[in-house]
Amino acid sequence: MVAAWSVDRLGRSLTDLLGILQGLHDKGVDLFLHQQGLDTSTTAGKAMFQCWGYLPEFERGIIQERVNAGLARARAKGTRLGRRPVVSTVEVQIRELRANGDGILKIGKKLGVGTSVVQRVVRGMPKSLTA
């Protein structure tokens, strides 16, 4: 028997969950779900597993709807989404230091910015200057 905490820890859709359960049963292994108290070695346990199986997919759909609604609300208010642009003077310094052969970590430490900022600027540079 395999024990898991909850049905939503196993898969994100009913199809995934049924595939996992079938794979286990093909190997002669049953499943116990602690949070729901389900034991698939019984007929009732198998039926309840299938009833509970739609929940992870449903929950994921609700989360997606909430996130999209929040983004739409922010856009409607005029909130600018995404990362802040790099200050132009810092961007110029990053390009100069990279063209001189400095590494990304060294540039970030020298200018007091994160390596992700340096990488974003370097990614936008022509290939001839980044090598």
Side-chain angles (χ1 to χ4, degrees):
M1 181 169 284
V2 172
W5 176 251
S6 174
V7 70
D8 63 342
R9 299 286 111 205
L10 288 176
R12 294 192 174 257
S13 69
L14 182 57
T15 307
D16 289 342
L17 294 170
L18 293 176
I20 290 167
L21 185 62
Q22 186 62 47
L24 290 172
H25 281 275
D26 289 347
K27 292 176 177 46
V29 177
D30 288 310
L31 178 66
F32 177 76
L33 298 170
H34 178 74
Q35 196 171 27
Q36 286 83 20
L38 291 177
D39 180 357
T40 62
S41 65
T42 67
T43 304
K46 287 177 190 173
M48 287 304 296
F49 179 81
Q50 291 177 357
C51 287
W52 281 99
Y54 74 92
L55 289 175
E57 193 169 358
F58 176 70
E59 185 177 7
R60 191 179 73 200
I62 288 175
I63 290 169
Q64 285 175 338
E65 286 176 1
R66 287 179 182 161
V67 167
N68 289 336
L71 290 171
R73 191 170 40 253
R75 283 186 194 105
K77 284 183 177 179
T79 303
R80 188 177 179 285
L81 301 173
R83 294 184 171 137
R84 292 181 306 231
V86 180
V87 178
S88 59
T89 56
V90 173
E91 188 173 342
V92 168
Q93 289 176 315
I94 291 172
R95 291 177 189 278
E96 288 173 356
L97 291 170
R98 187 63 178 168
N100 291 336
D102 287 355
I104 290 174
L105 186 61
K106 185 176 181 181
I107 295 170
K109 285 183 179 181
K110 198 178 281 188
L111 299 178
V113 297
T115 55
S116 63
V117 172
V118 178
Q119 288 173 340
R120 265 188 287 148
V121 172
V122 168
R123 236 182 274 129
M125 290 174 62
K127 294 287 181 200
S128 59
L129 296 176
T130 60

